[in-house]
Amino acid sequence: MIKKIFVVMPFSEANGRDQASLTRFFADYIKDPIENHAKLAGKYDVTRSGDAFVMLDKIVEDLARADIVICDLSGPRSNPNVMYELGIRLATSHNPTILIREESPENAGIFDIHGLYTHPYSMGDTKSLEKWVVSKIVEYEENLDAYESPVLKVLNHRSAFWMLLPIRKASAFLGGISSAADAHLVAFSKAVTIFLGRKGIPFAPRTPQMIFEDLQKIADRTSLDDFGYQISSIPSLDSYLSSVYLLGLVDDDIERRFRECAMSYSLAFNRGNASLFSDNKLDEFARYAFETLILMNLSRLIIRILDSRQGSNERKNLAVEFFENAARSTL
């Protein structure tokens, strides 16, 4: 998936450079070097904001969701548009923000961000700027440098404030799916134990969650052809599938993969179709138990992803674990 770099910079004037010069600067010394670098080519799409002092929905979204923001603070004094957009970025995302500023004897200090590192550059040595910007992006790409928003750090927010309510709502739904899946496994385990006990077959599953393994172990000694257990639906799963609770809260590929798993599970088991995908009753029920466990695990992993900080190694490791679990599904 192509990552996004959003560039915030003066649009019409900075240290004697006019609009055309600034546009060429963006294209020649920021966009092209990043998009064509050996380690970054094909990974990033670099775009910039305009000059209007109007926070259009698209600009706010770009600032909040960009994987990296590069903010050029060039000019004798702080540019209102640039500072406003930088403020939005720092208040909405833990993803990296890189600050640069052209050196000039006319530059006044920018008190608001005096504690944040701003890399100086000279128009007479743009190669040094290109090299430094690319090196920072490579460091973030290879997890060699960590970043967190100084604003959200002070507020002790793991996620931007505007995401907290939808995160809680999504976590509540996923928690409902996870709890229901767990309860289904407990009920199913009890029913199987009672059924086999009546047939004189000792059966003591180690845990309800791992009953699929215990069923496979008795496959050569019995069948479940006359087991009348009715697989019931998970209401919270159906509610989830009718909404877009994770959209914009986790990476698109995670949201898409979970939706695929949830839909496949619903079609296979909640509509009485399980027998269509199995060779026999025992295989059908073992598969039901296994896929219910997968659904429970995926729900819990996404809850942990939602609770982790954007851009953190913890979040990346949880994403890897999510896809490893999703790959185990046979649906």
Side-chain angles (χ1 to χ4, degrees), residues 10 13-17 72-79 100-111 113 118-123:
E13 195 279 328
N15 294 118
R17 288 183 282 164
D72 189 344
L73 301 167
S74 294
R77 287 164 295 280
S78 55
N79 180 292
I100 60 176
R101 190 183 191 188
E102 182 186 1
E103 292 181 297
S104 170
E106 298 179 0
N107 283 353
I110 303 178
F111 175 78
I113 57 166
T118 301
H119 187 76
Y121 69 87
S122 168
M123 288 304 296

Side-chain angles (χ1 to χ4, degrees), residues 42-306:
K43 294 184 178 181
Y44 287 95
D45 177 39
V46 184
T47 58
R48 65 179 291 202
S49 63
D51 189 41
F53 196 74
V54 177
M55 288 294 100
L56 302 176
D57 291 349
K58 182 64 169 63
I59 295 178
V60 173
E61 184 175 348
D62 287 337
L63 289 166
R65 302 197 190 286
D67 295 282
I68 295 174
V69 162
I70 298 173
C71 183
D72 189 344
L73 301 167
S74 294
R77 287 164 295 280
S78 55
N79 180 292
N81 293 10
V82 170
M83 294 302 295
Y84 191 33
E85 292 182 34
L86 175 60
I88 289 176
R89 169 64 172 187
L90 296 181
T92 57
S93 178
H94 271 300
N95 287 340
T97 299
I98 297 171
L99 305 181
I100 60 176
R101 190 183 191 188
E102 182 186 1
E103 292 181 297
S104 170
E106 298 179 0
N107 283 353
I110 303 178
F111 175 78
D112 311 65
I113 57 166
H114 71 280
L116 305 180
Y117 177 72
T118 301
H119 187 76
Y121 69 87
S122 168
M123 288 304 296
D125 185 17
T126 54
K127 285 297 179 184
S128 294
L129 173 64
E130 293 176 26
K131 182 178 180 180
W132 185 83
V133 169
V134 166
S135 69
K136 287 302 297 181
I137 297 171
V138 170
E139 286 178 4
Y140 291 130
E141 180 74 18
E142 297 179 350
N143 296 321
L144 299 178
D145 193 8
Y147 178 91
E148 61 180 333
S149 162
V151 175
L152 295 180
K153 180 181 179 181
V154 170
L155 297 176
N156 196 29
H157 285 175
R158 296 174 70 82
S159 300
F161 66 88
W162 56 274
M163 294 173 65
L164 292 179
L165 186 58
I167 282 176
R168 289 169 183 160
K169 188 173 183 180
S171 294
F173 262 94
L174 291 164
I177 294 171
S178 172
S179 297
D182 191 35
H184 278 224
L185 287 172
V186 171
F188 175 70
S189 180
K190 288 181 179 178
V192 173
T193 301
I194 293 172
F195 171 76
L196 293 177
R198 288 172 177 168
K199 297 180 67 174
I201 300 173
F203 183 73
R206 292 162 294 168
T207 67
Q209 293 74 26
M210 300 302 292
I211 189 175
F212 71 92
E213 289 188 350
D214 299 300
L215 285 175
Q216 292 169 338
K217 292 176 181 178
I218 65 169
D220 59 342
R221 292 190 287 126
T222 188
S223 73
L224 295 180
D225 290 346
D226 52 343
F227 182 41
Y229 188 82
Q230 297 294 315
I231 297 174
S232 57
S233 65
I234 297 179
S236 51
L237 181 64
D238 295 335
S239 296
Y240 174 86
L241 288 171
S242 66
S243 302
V244 287
Y245 292 109
L246 290 178
L247 206 59
L249 302 180
V250 297
D251 290 346
D252 290 346
D253 50 350
I254 292 178
E255 191 278 334
R256 183 167 50 251
R257 186 71 182 95
F258 182 71
R259 181 170 291 276
E260 289 172 355
C261 289
M263 183 65 74
S264 296
Y265 181 93
S266 182
L267 292 173
F269 302 114
N270 293 358
R271 305 293 180 235
N273 293 334
S275 60
L276 301 176
F277 302 95
S278 306
D279 296 330
N280 53 60
K281 277 278 191 176
L282 194 146
D283 179 55
E284 171 187 332
F285 285 116
R287 191 164 179 266
Y288 158 70
F290 177 73
E291 296 296 343
T292 302
L293 176 65
I294 293 291
L295 179 67
M296 182 182 74
N297 288 340
L298 293 181
S299 300
R300 291 178 176 177
L301 280 167
I302 296 181
I303 291 173
R304 291 172 62 192
I305 289 173
L306 290 171

